mmCIF file of all heavy atoms in Angstrom:
data_model
loop_
_atom_site.group_PDB
_atom_site.id
_atom_site.type_symbol
_atom_site.label_atom_id
_atom_site.label_comp_id
_atom_site.label_asym_id
_atom_site.label_seq_id
_atom_site.Cartn_x
_atom_site.Cartn_y
_atom_site.Cartn_z
ATOM 1 N N LEU A 572 7.604 -13.870 4.251
ATOM 2 C CA LEU A 572 8.345 -12.743 4.864
ATOM 3 C C LEU A 572 9.497 -12.215 3.879
ATOM 4 O O LEU A 572 10.183 -13.057 3.313
ATOM 5 C CB LEU A 572 8.956 -13.247 6.153
ATOM 6 C CG LEU A 572 8.064 -13.987 7.075
ATOM 7 C CD1 LEU A 572 8.853 -14.577 8.278
ATOM 8 C CD2 LEU A 572 6.996 -12.989 7.711
ATOM 9 N N LEU A 573 9.665 -10.948 3.823
ATOM 10 C CA LEU A 573 10.567 -10.303 2.990
ATOM 11 C C LEU A 573 11.206 -9.172 3.674
ATOM 12 O O LEU A 573 10.521 -8.242 4.156
ATOM 13 C CB LEU A 573 10.015 -9.923 1.598
ATOM 14 C CG LEU A 573 9.151 -10.909 0.757
ATOM 15 C CD1 LEU A 573 7.669 -10.667 0.976
ATOM 16 C CD2 LEU A 573 9.549 -10.950 -0.624
ATOM 17 N N ASP A 574 12.596 -9.090 3.727
ATOM 18 C CA ASP A 574 13.295 -7.996 4.246
ATOM 19 C C ASP A 574 13.819 -7.166 3.136
ATOM 20 O O ASP A 574 14.857 -7.525 2.405
ATOM 21 C CB ASP A 574 14.380 -8.607 5.131
ATOM 22 C CG ASP A 574 15.088 -7.498 5.906
ATOM 23 O OD1 ASP A 574 14.595 -6.374 6.034
ATOM 24 O OD2 ASP A 574 16.287 -7.760 6.449
ATOM 25 N N GLU A 575 13.305 -6.043 2.910
ATOM 26 C CA GLU A 575 13.738 -5.069 1.897
ATOM 27 C C GLU A 575 13.836 -5.713 0.506
ATOM 28 O O GLU A 575 14.887 -5.870 -0.085
ATOM 29 C CB GLU A 575 15.105 -4.439 2.247
ATOM 30 C CG GLU A 575 15.089 -3.513 3.398
ATOM 31 C CD GLU A 575 14.600 -2.143 3.111
ATOM 32 O OE1 GLU A 575 14.237 -1.791 1.947
ATOM 33 O OE2 GLU A 575 14.383 -1.373 4.039
ATOM 34 N N PRO A 576 12.683 -6.288 0.014
ATOM 35 C CA PRO A 576 12.853 -7.178 -1.170
ATOM 36 C C PRO A 576 13.136 -6.445 -2.490
ATOM 37 O O PRO A 576 13.581 -7.098 -3.421
ATOM 38 C CB PRO A 576 11.396 -7.718 -1.288
ATOM 39 C CG PRO A 576 10.532 -6.726 -0.651
ATOM 40 C CD PRO A 576 11.395 -6.172 0.445
ATOM 41 N N THR A 577 13.037 -5.137 -2.520
ATOM 42 C CA THR A 577 13.248 -4.417 -3.733
ATOM 43 C C THR A 577 14.504 -3.455 -3.712
ATOM 44 O O THR A 577 14.730 -2.682 -4.530
ATOM 45 C CB THR A 577 12.051 -3.514 -4.162
ATOM 46 O OG1 THR A 577 11.786 -2.591 -3.095
ATOM 47 C CG2 THR A 577 10.873 -4.455 -4.342
ATOM 48 N N VAL A 578 15.333 -3.607 -2.658
ATOM 49 C CA VAL A 578 16.390 -2.741 -2.388
ATOM 50 C C VAL A 578 17.382 -2.639 -3.608
ATOM 51 O O VAL A 578 17.995 -1.618 -3.769
ATOM 52 C CB VAL A 578 17.107 -3.090 -1.056
ATOM 53 C CG1 VAL A 578 17.982 -4.381 -1.160
ATOM 54 C CG2 VAL A 578 18.058 -1.904 -0.699
ATOM 55 N N HIS A 579 17.676 -3.787 -4.354
ATOM 56 C CA HIS A 579 18.620 -3.702 -5.402
ATOM 57 C C HIS A 579 17.986 -3.562 -6.783
ATOM 58 O O HIS A 579 18.647 -3.661 -7.851
ATOM 59 C CB HIS A 579 19.368 -5.036 -5.461
ATOM 60 C CG HIS A 579 20.242 -5.193 -4.234
ATOM 61 N ND1 HIS A 579 21.229 -4.219 -3.796
ATOM 62 C CD2 HIS A 579 20.277 -6.183 -3.255
ATOM 63 C CE1 HIS A 579 21.787 -4.693 -2.752
ATOM 64 N NE2 HIS A 579 21.256 -5.841 -2.380
ATOM 65 N N LEU A 580 16.626 -3.329 -6.861
ATOM 66 C CA LEU A 580 15.918 -3.341 -8.077
ATOM 67 C C LEU A 580 15.746 -2.001 -8.655
ATOM 68 O O LEU A 580 15.545 -0.992 -7.977
ATOM 69 C CB LEU A 580 14.517 -3.967 -7.958
ATOM 70 C CG LEU A 580 14.544 -5.493 -7.337
ATOM 71 C CD1 LEU A 580 13.080 -6.031 -7.343
ATOM 72 C CD2 LEU A 580 15.478 -6.392 -8.234
ATOM 73 N N ASP A 581 15.664 -1.850 -9.999
ATOM 74 C CA ASP A 581 15.383 -0.642 -10.612
ATOM 75 C C ASP A 581 13.880 -0.399 -10.547
ATOM 76 O O ASP A 581 13.144 -1.162 -9.999
ATOM 77 C CB ASP A 581 15.863 -0.590 -12.096
ATOM 78 C CG ASP A 581 15.271 -1.669 -12.938
ATOM 79 O OD1 ASP A 581 14.180 -2.129 -12.601
ATOM 80 O OD2 ASP A 581 15.846 -2.104 -13.947
ATOM 81 N N VAL A 582 13.472 0.770 -10.966
ATOM 82 C CA VAL A 582 12.027 1.142 -10.808
ATOM 83 C C VAL A 582 11.020 0.199 -11.533
ATOM 84 O O VAL A 582 10.035 -0.267 -10.844
ATOM 85 C CB VAL A 582 11.753 2.598 -11.401
ATOM 86 C CG1 VAL A 582 10.309 2.946 -11.304
ATOM 87 C CG2 VAL A 582 12.502 3.589 -10.547
ATOM 88 N N SER A 583 11.392 -0.334 -12.597
ATOM 89 C CA SER A 583 10.499 -1.208 -13.364
ATOM 90 C C SER A 583 10.404 -2.568 -12.641
ATOM 91 O O SER A 583 9.224 -3.053 -12.486
ATOM 92 C CB SER A 583 11.065 -1.378 -14.836
ATOM 93 O OG SER A 583 10.299 -2.493 -15.478
ATOM 94 N N ASN A 584 11.442 -3.080 -12.189
ATOM 95 C CA ASN A 584 11.511 -4.382 -11.493
ATOM 96 C C ASN A 584 10.777 -4.278 -10.103
ATOM 97 O O ASN A 584 10.239 -5.146 -9.588
ATOM 98 C CB ASN A 584 12.896 -5.027 -11.372
ATOM 99 C CG ASN A 584 13.292 -5.643 -12.701
ATOM 100 O OD1 ASN A 584 12.465 -6.380 -13.369
ATOM 101 N ND2 ASN A 584 14.494 -5.452 -13.117
ATOM 102 N N LYS A 585 11.100 -3.060 -9.526
ATOM 103 C CA LYS A 585 10.459 -2.856 -8.210
ATOM 104 C C LYS A 585 8.962 -2.838 -8.301
ATOM 105 O O LYS A 585 8.280 -3.465 -7.505
ATOM 106 C CB LYS A 585 11.022 -1.499 -7.562
ATOM 107 C CG LYS A 585 10.335 -1.184 -6.264
ATOM 108 C CD LYS A 585 10.804 0.221 -5.809
ATOM 109 C CE LYS A 585 12.305 0.327 -5.542
ATOM 110 N NZ LYS A 585 12.761 1.608 -4.864
ATOM 111 N N THR A 586 8.452 -2.198 -9.322
ATOM 112 C CA THR A 586 7.006 -2.147 -9.519
ATOM 113 C C THR A 586 6.522 -3.555 -9.828
ATOM 114 O O THR A 586 5.456 -3.939 -9.314
ATOM 115 C CB THR A 586 6.585 -1.177 -10.689
ATOM 116 O OG1 THR A 586 7.156 0.071 -10.301
ATOM 117 C CG2 THR A 586 5.208 -1.098 -10.911
ATOM 118 N N MET A 587 7.197 -4.292 -10.667
ATOM 119 C CA MET A 587 6.732 -5.615 -10.976
ATOM 120 C C MET A 587 6.667 -6.491 -9.730
ATOM 121 O O MET A 587 5.704 -7.325 -9.619
ATOM 122 C CB MET A 587 7.768 -6.276 -12.008
ATOM 123 C CG MET A 587 7.336 -7.617 -12.532
ATOM 124 S SD MET A 587 8.036 -8.940 -11.538
ATOM 125 C CE MET A 587 9.757 -8.932 -12.105
ATOM 126 N N ILE A 588 7.713 -6.465 -8.822
ATOM 127 C CA ILE A 588 7.705 -7.291 -7.705
ATOM 128 C C ILE A 588 6.562 -6.887 -6.779
ATOM 129 O O ILE A 588 5.828 -7.793 -6.258
ATOM 130 C CB ILE A 588 9.061 -7.166 -6.935
ATOM 131 C CG1 ILE A 588 10.123 -7.805 -7.693
ATOM 132 C CG2 ILE A 588 9.034 -7.846 -5.528
ATOM 133 C CD1 ILE A 588 9.949 -9.300 -7.959
ATOM 134 N N MET A 589 6.303 -5.638 -6.684
ATOM 135 C CA MET A 589 5.233 -5.162 -5.732
ATOM 136 C C MET A 589 3.814 -5.608 -6.280
ATOM 137 O O MET A 589 2.987 -5.999 -5.560
ATOM 138 C CB MET A 589 5.277 -3.587 -5.575
ATOM 139 C CG MET A 589 6.452 -3.166 -4.702
ATOM 140 S SD MET A 589 6.358 -4.074 -3.109
ATOM 141 C CE MET A 589 7.963 -3.588 -2.380
ATOM 142 N N GLN A 590 3.688 -5.474 -7.602
ATOM 143 C CA GLN A 590 2.441 -5.948 -8.204
ATOM 144 C C GLN A 590 2.283 -7.450 -7.958
ATOM 145 O O GLN A 590 1.159 -7.944 -7.775
ATOM 146 C CB GLN A 590 2.469 -5.626 -9.699
ATOM 147 C CG GLN A 590 2.269 -4.139 -10.004
ATOM 148 C CD GLN A 590 2.338 -3.775 -11.466
ATOM 149 O OE1 GLN A 590 2.997 -4.557 -12.245
ATOM 150 N NE2 GLN A 590 1.747 -2.646 -11.877
ATOM 151 N N LEU A 591 3.356 -8.212 -8.115
ATOM 152 C CA LEU A 591 3.292 -9.613 -7.840
ATOM 153 C C LEU A 591 2.873 -9.956 -6.424
ATOM 154 O O LEU A 591 2.009 -10.843 -6.224
ATOM 155 C CB LEU A 591 4.727 -10.202 -8.122
ATOM 156 C CG LEU A 591 4.938 -11.720 -7.810
ATOM 157 C CD1 LEU A 591 3.957 -12.552 -8.613
ATOM 158 C CD2 LEU A 591 6.333 -12.107 -8.010
ATOM 159 N N LEU A 592 3.464 -9.213 -5.486
ATOM 160 C CA LEU A 592 3.068 -9.464 -4.062
ATOM 161 C C LEU A 592 1.558 -9.079 -3.759
ATOM 162 O O LEU A 592 0.924 -9.805 -3.002
ATOM 163 C CB LEU A 592 3.958 -8.629 -3.145
ATOM 164 C CG LEU A 592 5.407 -9.007 -3.209
ATOM 165 C CD1 LEU A 592 6.225 -8.034 -2.241
ATOM 166 C CD2 LEU A 592 5.709 -10.458 -2.825
ATOM 167 N N VAL A 593 1.139 -8.021 -4.420
ATOM 168 C CA VAL A 593 -0.266 -7.658 -4.220
ATOM 169 C C VAL A 593 -1.167 -8.787 -4.822
ATOM 170 O O VAL A 593 -2.174 -9.113 -4.256
ATOM 171 C CB VAL A 593 -0.531 -6.322 -4.992
ATOM 172 C CG1 VAL A 593 -2.064 -5.947 -5.026
ATOM 173 C CG2 VAL A 593 0.149 -5.133 -4.262
ATOM 174 N N ASN A 594 -0.734 -9.287 -6.033
ATOM 175 C CA ASN A 594 -1.494 -10.355 -6.666
ATOM 176 C C ASN A 594 -1.547 -11.617 -5.673
ATOM 177 O O ASN A 594 -2.621 -12.219 -5.614
ATOM 178 C CB ASN A 594 -0.991 -10.694 -8.023
ATOM 179 C CG ASN A 594 -1.685 -11.850 -8.662
ATOM 180 O OD1 ASN A 594 -2.873 -11.855 -8.897
ATOM 181 N ND2 ASN A 594 -0.868 -12.909 -8.944
ATOM 182 N N LEU A 595 -0.459 -11.873 -5.154
ATOM 183 C CA LEU A 595 -0.374 -13.090 -4.258
ATOM 184 C C LEU A 595 -1.388 -12.971 -3.031
ATOM 185 O O LEU A 595 -1.964 -13.888 -2.624
ATOM 186 C CB LEU A 595 1.112 -13.293 -3.743
ATOM 187 C CG LEU A 595 1.996 -13.859 -4.792
ATOM 188 C CD1 LEU A 595 3.457 -13.844 -4.216
ATOM 189 C CD2 LEU A 595 1.760 -15.285 -5.152
ATOM 190 N N ALA A 596 -1.308 -11.714 -2.500
ATOM 191 C CA ALA A 596 -2.184 -11.482 -1.349
ATOM 192 C C ALA A 596 -3.669 -11.431 -1.733
ATOM 193 O O ALA A 596 -4.437 -12.106 -1.070
ATOM 194 C CB ALA A 596 -1.783 -10.125 -0.713
ATOM 195 N N LYS A 597 -3.988 -10.782 -2.783
ATOM 196 C CA LYS A 597 -5.426 -10.537 -3.045
ATOM 197 C C LYS A 597 -6.072 -11.726 -3.833
ATOM 198 O O LYS A 597 -7.229 -12.089 -3.603
ATOM 199 C CB LYS A 597 -5.548 -9.285 -3.871
ATOM 200 C CG LYS A 597 -5.129 -8.029 -3.194
ATOM 201 C CD LYS A 597 -5.647 -7.846 -1.762
ATOM 202 C CE LYS A 597 -4.945 -6.970 -0.859
ATOM 203 N NZ LYS A 597 -5.242 -7.061 0.548
ATOM 204 N N ASN A 598 -5.349 -12.277 -4.762
ATOM 205 C CA ASN A 598 -5.840 -13.393 -5.607
ATOM 206 C C ASN A 598 -5.522 -14.825 -5.082
ATOM 207 O O ASN A 598 -6.199 -15.640 -5.566
ATOM 208 C CB ASN A 598 -5.459 -13.129 -7.044
ATOM 209 C CG ASN A 598 -5.946 -11.695 -7.617
ATOM 210 O OD1 ASN A 598 -7.056 -11.367 -7.237
ATOM 211 N ND2 ASN A 598 -5.158 -11.151 -8.448
ATOM 212 N N HIS A 599 -4.491 -14.920 -4.338
ATOM 213 C CA HIS A 599 -4.057 -16.217 -3.911
ATOM 214 C C HIS A 599 -4.160 -16.341 -2.395
ATOM 215 O O HIS A 599 -3.662 -17.366 -1.925
ATOM 216 C CB HIS A 599 -2.659 -16.582 -4.416
ATOM 217 C CG HIS A 599 -2.536 -16.623 -5.885
ATOM 218 N ND1 HIS A 599 -2.863 -17.713 -6.687
ATOM 219 C CD2 HIS A 599 -2.211 -15.607 -6.779
ATOM 220 C CE1 HIS A 599 -2.757 -17.424 -7.970
ATOM 221 N NE2 HIS A 599 -2.324 -16.240 -8.098
ATOM 222 N N GLN A 600 -4.609 -15.290 -1.692
ATOM 223 C CA GLN A 600 -4.719 -15.252 -0.210
ATOM 224 C C GLN A 600 -3.516 -15.622 0.560
ATOM 225 O O GLN A 600 -3.565 -16.273 1.605
ATOM 226 C CB GLN A 600 -5.905 -16.243 0.072
ATOM 227 C CG GLN A 600 -7.299 -15.673 -0.329
ATOM 228 C CD GLN A 600 -7.646 -14.457 0.411
ATOM 229 O OE1 GLN A 600 -7.899 -14.473 1.500
ATOM 230 N NE2 GLN A 600 -7.666 -13.367 -0.316
ATOM 231 N N LYS A 601 -2.330 -15.259 0.024
ATOM 232 C CA LYS A 601 -1.081 -15.316 0.856
ATOM 233 C C LYS A 601 -1.022 -14.175 1.776
ATOM 234 O O LYS A 601 -1.504 -13.110 1.514
ATOM 235 C CB LYS A 601 0.111 -15.357 -0.050
ATOM 236 C CG LYS A 601 0.113 -16.560 -1.081
ATOM 237 C CD LYS A 601 0.221 -17.829 -0.352
ATOM 238 C CE LYS A 601 0.341 -18.998 -1.447
ATOM 239 N NZ LYS A 601 0.358 -20.317 -0.770
ATOM 240 N N SER A 602 -0.460 -14.444 2.944
ATOM 241 C CA SER A 602 -0.234 -13.395 3.928
ATOM 242 C C SER A 602 1.163 -12.924 3.760
ATOM 243 O O SER A 602 2.143 -13.745 3.819
ATOM 244 C CB SER A 602 -0.473 -13.891 5.332
ATOM 245 O OG SER A 602 -1.876 -14.342 5.514
ATOM 246 N N ILE A 603 1.450 -11.662 3.572
ATOM 247 C CA ILE A 603 2.669 -11.055 3.206
ATOM 248 C C ILE A 603 3.170 -10.067 4.207
ATOM 249 O O ILE A 603 2.370 -9.164 4.479
ATOM 250 C CB ILE A 603 2.767 -10.575 1.813
ATOM 251 C CG1 ILE A 603 2.439 -11.684 0.787
ATOM 252 C CG2 ILE A 603 4.101 -9.878 1.435
ATOM 253 C CD1 ILE A 603 2.239 -11.238 -0.607
ATOM 254 N N LEU A 604 4.300 -10.183 4.771
ATOM 255 C CA LEU A 604 4.834 -9.200 5.702
ATOM 256 C C LEU A 604 6.246 -8.883 5.125
ATOM 257 O O LEU A 604 7.161 -9.717 4.944
ATOM 258 C CB LEU A 604 5.060 -9.796 7.083
ATOM 259 C CG LEU A 604 5.611 -8.941 8.109
ATOM 260 C CD1 LEU A 604 4.777 -7.625 8.420
ATOM 261 C CD2 LEU A 604 5.875 -9.644 9.511
ATOM 262 N N LEU A 605 6.435 -7.547 4.859
ATOM 263 C CA LEU A 605 7.750 -7.146 4.303
ATOM 264 C C LEU A 605 8.253 -5.826 4.985
ATOM 265 O O LEU A 605 7.399 -5.071 5.459
ATOM 266 C CB LEU A 605 7.687 -6.797 2.786
ATOM 267 C CG LEU A 605 6.815 -5.699 2.242
ATOM 268 C CD1 LEU A 605 7.433 -5.129 0.993
ATOM 269 C CD2 LEU A 605 5.401 -6.064 2.028
ATOM 270 N N SER A 606 9.617 -5.673 5.020
ATOM 271 C CA SER A 606 10.045 -4.423 5.570
ATOM 272 C C SER A 606 10.494 -3.544 4.412
ATOM 273 O O SER A 606 10.878 -4.068 3.290
ATOM 274 C CB SER A 606 11.238 -4.675 6.455
ATOM 275 O OG SER A 606 12.348 -5.298 5.800
ATOM 276 N N SER A 607 10.454 -2.244 4.567
ATOM 277 C CA SER A 607 10.722 -1.281 3.472
ATOM 278 C C SER A 607 11.057 0.057 4.090
ATOM 279 O O SER A 607 10.690 0.389 5.146
ATOM 280 C CB SER A 607 9.576 -1.243 2.465
ATOM 281 O OG SER A 607 9.838 -0.241 1.499
ATOM 282 N N HIS A 608 11.661 0.879 3.311
ATOM 283 C CA HIS A 608 11.853 2.310 3.593
ATOM 284 C C HIS A 608 11.039 3.185 2.765
ATOM 285 O O HIS A 608 11.015 4.381 2.842
ATOM 286 C CB HIS A 608 13.303 2.719 3.489
ATOM 287 C CG HIS A 608 14.202 2.123 4.567
ATOM 288 N ND1 HIS A 608 14.943 0.976 4.391
ATOM 289 C CD2 HIS A 608 14.464 2.576 5.811
ATOM 290 C CE1 HIS A 608 15.623 0.751 5.460
ATOM 291 N NE2 HIS A 608 15.434 1.655 6.363
ATOM 292 N N ASP A 609 10.228 2.572 1.770
ATOM 293 C CA ASP A 609 9.549 3.290 0.802
ATOM 294 C C ASP A 609 8.090 3.560 1.187
ATOM 295 O O ASP A 609 7.216 2.898 0.856
ATOM 296 C CB ASP A 609 9.569 2.555 -0.523
ATOM 297 C CG ASP A 609 9.043 3.383 -1.721
ATOM 298 O OD1 ASP A 609 8.378 4.443 -1.495
ATOM 299 O OD2 ASP A 609 9.449 3.097 -2.895
ATOM 300 N N LEU A 610 7.966 4.591 2.013
ATOM 301 C CA LEU A 610 6.601 4.952 2.544
ATOM 302 C C LEU A 610 5.661 5.327 1.490
ATOM 303 O O LEU A 610 4.479 4.890 1.518
ATOM 304 C CB LEU A 610 6.738 6.141 3.550
ATOM 305 C CG LEU A 610 5.387 6.747 3.965
ATOM 306 C CD1 LEU A 610 4.643 5.745 4.854
ATOM 307 C CD2 LEU A 610 5.684 7.998 4.839
ATOM 308 N N ASN A 611 6.046 5.965 0.414
ATOM 309 C CA ASN A 611 5.213 6.420 -0.651
ATOM 310 C C ASN A 611 4.604 5.126 -1.342
ATOM 311 O O ASN A 611 3.362 5.009 -1.467
ATOM 312 C CB ASN A 611 5.916 7.172 -1.676
ATOM 313 C CG ASN A 611 5.038 7.630 -2.883
ATOM 314 O OD1 ASN A 611 4.030 8.202 -2.611
ATOM 315 N ND2 ASN A 611 5.459 7.476 -4.019
ATOM 316 N N MET A 612 5.367 4.157 -1.710
ATOM 317 C CA MET A 612 4.921 2.959 -2.406
ATOM 318 C C MET A 612 4.094 2.100 -1.399
ATOM 319 O O MET A 612 2.966 1.625 -1.727
ATOM 320 C CB MET A 612 6.029 2.144 -2.908
ATOM 321 C CG MET A 612 5.579 0.795 -3.600
ATOM 322 S SD MET A 612 6.804 -0.030 -4.490
ATOM 323 C CE MET A 612 6.942 0.961 -6.021
ATOM 324 N N MET A 613 4.521 1.944 -0.193
ATOM 325 C CA MET A 613 3.846 1.059 0.805
ATOM 326 C C MET A 613 2.459 1.679 1.080
ATOM 327 O O MET A 613 1.534 0.933 1.414
ATOM 328 C CB MET A 613 4.640 0.973 2.012
ATOM 329 C CG MET A 613 5.943 0.183 1.878
ATOM 330 S SD MET A 613 5.656 -1.537 1.075
ATOM 331 C CE MET A 613 6.387 -1.274 -0.507
ATOM 332 N N SER A 614 2.400 3.005 1.132
ATOM 333 C CA SER A 614 1.070 3.553 1.425
ATOM 334 C C SER A 614 0.062 3.376 0.378
ATOM 335 O O SER A 614 -1.216 3.402 0.574
ATOM 336 C CB SER A 614 1.182 5.132 1.726
ATOM 337 O OG SER A 614 1.705 5.804 0.512
ATOM 338 N N GLN A 615 0.540 3.043 -0.797
ATOM 339 C CA GLN A 615 -0.309 2.786 -1.906
ATOM 340 C C GLN A 615 -0.754 1.301 -1.964
ATOM 341 O O GLN A 615 -1.847 0.911 -2.472
ATOM 342 C CB GLN A 615 0.326 3.018 -3.272
ATOM 343 C CG GLN A 615 0.686 4.565 -3.397
ATOM 344 C CD GLN A 615 1.355 4.753 -4.772
ATOM 345 O OE1 GLN A 615 0.831 4.491 -5.791
ATOM 346 N NE2 GLN A 615 2.613 5.358 -4.707
ATOM 347 N N ILE A 616 0.099 0.253 -1.524
ATOM 348 C CA ILE A 616 -0.163 -1.079 -1.728
ATOM 349 C C ILE A 616 -0.512 -1.832 -0.388
ATOM 350 O O ILE A 616 -1.154 -2.911 -0.569
ATOM 351 C CB ILE A 616 0.890 -1.805 -2.529
ATOM 352 C CG1 ILE A 616 2.156 -1.983 -1.583
ATOM 353 C CG2 ILE A 616 1.245 -1.102 -3.791
ATOM 354 C CD1 ILE A 616 3.147 -2.889 -2.196
ATOM 355 N N ALA A 617 -0.044 -1.394 0.678
ATOM 356 C CA ALA A 617 -0.191 -2.140 1.960
ATOM 357 C C ALA A 617 -1.589 -2.087 2.498
ATOM 358 O O ALA A 617 -2.159 -0.953 2.556
ATOM 359 C CB ALA A 617 0.871 -1.655 3.007
#
């Protein structure tokens, strides 16, 4: 569970964290629930 996990991160680190979460879900079968205000990014990865 993550509450606004990228709120303090710059674009590069934000992308890195999101790629990490996608990898954990798809390749390691973790279930991930996060809150965000970034509809554009979330519509691409969620």
Side-chain angles (χ1 to χ4, degrees):
L572 307 171
L573 306 103
D574 188 14
E575 294 280 356
T577 61
V578 68
H579 297 302
L580 303 182
D581 58 25
V582 173
S583 176
N584 280 316
K585 181 183 293 188
T586 302
M587 183 270 285
I588 291 299
M589 288 304 167
Q590 288 175 337
L591 173 63
L592 295 179
V593 170
N594 178 57
L595 288 170
K597 301 310 166 192
N598 297 327
H599 298 275
Q600 290 296 288
K601 299 297 183 184
S602 301
I603 298 173
L604 179 65
L605 69 149
S606 65
S607 176
H608 287 95
D609 193 338
L610 173 61
N611 182 51
M612 178 172 282
M613 292 306 111
S614 64
Q615 295 180 60
I616 70 166

